[in-house]
Amino acid sequence: MIERLKEAGGLGFKATGQITADDVKSVEPIIQMEIHNSRKHPIGLLFDLTAVKDVEWKARWEEMRFLEKFGGPIARVAVIGARKWEELMGDIAGATVLMQADIRYFQPSEMMHAWHWVKTAKYAEDLPVRPMLPPGHLMSGYHPEYTDV
């Protein structure tokens, strides 16, 4: 199941249990509306995956279809996860191919920082930056000049 998180000025979701294709489809209209309301300005998303047990293959295909269609207007994605970020990175590596968003991993204890980053693209000084790129990815090691703006 995927439910919307209530946070002023932000768009976030919490996923729990087994994620199905219908779960992914259920959030699509919400994200579409946010993209439409942003009037071509990039948006940020937060996904809390701390309670996810498993993701069906059909759900992964649905994610890929969605990202191919709507990935452009999404500028930042914060991923909150209970697993090690290196493991999680493998789960979403396919999405980084179709999506040009800056995807970052945050520990569950860093939820407040994740919301701040999604909304402003600014990091807390003492928080490590954890980009989500698989090893050997074309963009591995690339650090754009504009990240500290």
Side-chain angles (χ1 to χ4, degrees):
M1 175 171 68
I2 301 175
E3 60 185 359
R4 185 168 182 181
L5 296 172
K6 303 294 183 213
E7 175 70 24
L11 182 59
F13 300 94
K14 180 171 180 74
T16 56
Q18 169 123 356
I19 305 304
T20 67
D22 289 337
D23 293 330
V24 175
K25 287 178 186 176
S26 72
V27 300
E28 185 174 330
I30 299 167
I31 296 172
Q32 267 186 297
M33 182 62 71
E34 187 72 20
I35 290 169
H36 175 74
N37 291 342
S38 73
R39 294 180 173 77
K40 299 193 180 192
H41 289 92
I43 66 167
L45 301 174
L46 181 138
F47 289 99
D48 182 349
L49 305 180
T50 55
V52 170
K53 301 292 183 218
D54 195 21
V55 180
E56 291 180 354
W57 278 105
K58 284 184 178 181
R60 294 197 187 274
W61 280 111
E62 195 58 35
E63 288 173 13
M64 299 291 273
R65 183 199 58 77
F66 175 81
L67 292 173
E68 182 179 24
K69 188 174 179 183
F70 298 106
I74 301 171
R76 290 173 302 285
V77 178
V79 177
I80 312 293
R83 298 183 296 169
K84 292 190 305 187
W85 74 275
E86 293 91 349
E87 294 172 5
L88 184 61
M89 183 171 62
D91 289 348
I92 64 170
T96 63
V97 173
L98 296 175
M99 189 171 183
Q100 297 175 7
D102 189 359
I103 304 172
R104 305 286 172 106
Y105 176 83
F106 294 84
Q107 300 287 342
S109 62
E110 300 168 338
M111 180 73 80
M112 179 182 69
H113 298 292
W115 275 117
H116 178 73
W117 178 75
V118 163
K119 295 175 193 178
T120 67
K122 296 186 187 307
Y123 261 101
E125 290 299 318
D126 59 341
L127 198 65
V129 176
R130 299 182 198 99
M132 304 286 288
L133 291 175
H137 187 276
L138 177 65
M139 300 303 285
S140 296
Y142 172 68
H143 300 285
E145 314 81 55
Y146 59 84
T147 56
D148 54 335
V149 173

